[in-house]
């Protein structure tokens, strides 16, 4: 019988220099941080659960609670197979969280459930963002409220230029916030200052969204969108996949440049190298373990 466990680590200054972290013969994180996933009566087979020791005060160290996930259970909409079971996650303003684990452990599923992907159905638990019930919000509403997701393989949108796409997305968020919208000329000045952040040239704006883009350009474009929209919570799903070291450094530098005391990042990755450029405060490991027990 499979039960998922979560290793949650607070990162100290010498964490990455710890020999246990780099050893091929050791688990990626010290077992000191192993947490029990769920109570047995809640358990269902072929499911995933992640627990956290974090309590849920509305403020922590003068930082407001941004995202709170409690006992989240979700199934694949088509097959009704349980893929998340009893997931708990808490993110405050100004925090960087990393989620790691093997393929199929549920990392990307969790991110898609947070943004309302139709392939998944929430069957239990709660999700709140800035005090709002995410389960009552459409994907578009979640985006406009300040959640941004960078996908592993961003799709191309033929016939729509980056400039027009970004301008429309920016104005939609401005309307949601009750702020003035920007016309094409005004928006051009706004977005121009963001290009240096992702090391992109001006002609990038005239190209169709992701059409003919290299892997590095697509990832840079995702971060440019994040920079323009100014999201409160950025969910970065394997933003480092397919990037050479130069592109990875550019993307990481851009993400670090966007971090403030009021926004947060939840990044999903398989590799330590990203964590060396974007330093997380917490790491959550999602994985399956085997548990045998007898029900009395």
């Amino acid at each position: 019988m499979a039960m998922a466990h979560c290793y949650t680590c607070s990162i100290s200054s010498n964490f990455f220099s710890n020999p246990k972290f780099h050893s091929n013969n050791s688990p990626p994180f010290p077992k000191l941080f192993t947490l029990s996933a769920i109570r047995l009566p809640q358990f269902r087979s072929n499911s995933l659960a992640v627990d956290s020791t974090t309590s849920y005060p509305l403020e922590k160290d003068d930082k407001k609670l941004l995202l709170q996930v409690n006992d989240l259970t979700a199934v694949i909409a088509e097959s009704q197979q349980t893929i998340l079971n009893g997931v708990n996650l808490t993110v405050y303003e100004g925090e960087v969280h990393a989620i790691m684990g093997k393929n199929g452990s549920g990392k990307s599923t969790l991110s898609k459930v947070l943004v309302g992907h139709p392939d998944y159905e929430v069957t239990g638990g709660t999700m709140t963002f800035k005090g709002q019930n995410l389960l009552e919000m459409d994907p578009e509403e979640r985006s406009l409220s300040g959640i941004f997701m960078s996908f592993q393989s961003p799709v191309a949108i033929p016939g729509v230029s980056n400039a027009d796409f970004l301008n429309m997305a920016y104005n939609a968020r401005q309307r949601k916030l009750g702020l003035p919208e920007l016309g094409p000329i005004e928006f051009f000045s706004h977005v121009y200052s963001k290009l240096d952040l992702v090391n992109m040239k001006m002609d990038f704006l005239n190209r169709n969204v992701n059409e003919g883009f290299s892997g590095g350009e697509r990832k840079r474009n995702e971060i440019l969108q994040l920079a323009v929209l100014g999201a409160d919570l950025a969910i970065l799903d394997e933003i480092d996949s397919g990037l050479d070291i130069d592109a990875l450094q550019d993307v990481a530098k851009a993400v670090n440049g966007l971090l403030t005391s009021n926004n947060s990042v939840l990044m999903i990755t398989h590799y330590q190298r990203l964590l060396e450029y974007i330093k997380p405060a917490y790491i959550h490991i999602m994985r399956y373990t085997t548990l045998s027990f007898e029900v009395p």
Side-chain angles (χ1 to χ4, degrees), residues 198-210:
V198 292
N199 196 22
M200 300 298 286
K201 296 181 180 179
M202 182 62 63
D203 60 1
F204 177 74
L205 296 175
N206 297 322
R207 298 169 63 184
N208 293 337
V209 178
N210 292 327

Side-chain angles (χ1 to χ4, degrees), residues 1-16:
M1 184 168 290
M3 172 175 279
H5 281 70
C6 171
Y7 300 147
T8 300
C9 310
S10 295
I11 306 302
S12 62
S13 59
N14 63 347
F15 180 81
F16 292 106

Side-chain angles (χ1 to χ4, degrees), residues 45-163:
S45 62
N46 298 322
S47 60
L48 173 70
V50 178
D51 201 2
S52 172
T53 56
T54 309
S55 58
Y56 305 128
L58 294 179
E59 291 193 9
K60 182 181 73 173
D61 299 328
D62 296 325
K63 297 297 182 183
K64 294 181 180 178
L65 181 61
L66 196 60
L67 174 70
Q68 181 175 326
V69 178
N70 280 338
D71 294 326
L72 180 67
T73 302
V75 299
I76 300 172
E78 183 175 351
S79 67
Q80 293 296 296
Q81 177 185 353
T82 301
I83 189 65
L84 298 175
N85 190 356
V87 174
N88 294 286
L89 179 66
T90 310
V91 179
Y92 285 85
E93 291 178 335
E95 292 182 344
V96 177
H97 290 243
I99 297 179
M100 304 184 74
K102 294 181 179 180
N103 287 330
S105 62
K107 306 181 302 300
S108 294
T109 297
L110 175 59
S111 66
K112 290 176 181 178
V113 168
L114 288 173
V115 299
H117 197 291
D119 284 354
Y120 303 96
E121 177 185 338
V122 174
T123 55
T126 61
M127 301 189 300
T128 58
F129 177 68
K130 297 192 296 187
Q132 296 178 288
N133 184 0
L134 286 179
L135 297 178
E136 296 178 351
M137 300 167 67
D138 293 332
E140 181 180 358
E141 293 179 286
R142 300 183 194 194
S143 174
L144 294 176
S145 70
I147 297 179
F148 174 90
M149 181 171 175
S150 170
F151 294 93
Q152 291 184 37
S153 302
V155 299
I157 309 178
V160 179
S161 71
N162 265 311

Side-chain angles (χ1 to χ4, degrees), residues 34-48:
T34 302
L35 301 177
S36 177
I38 52 177
R39 297 184 297 275
L40 293 182
Q42 296 176 317
F43 177 71
R44 285 185 283 178
S45 62
N46 298 322
S47 60
L48 173 70

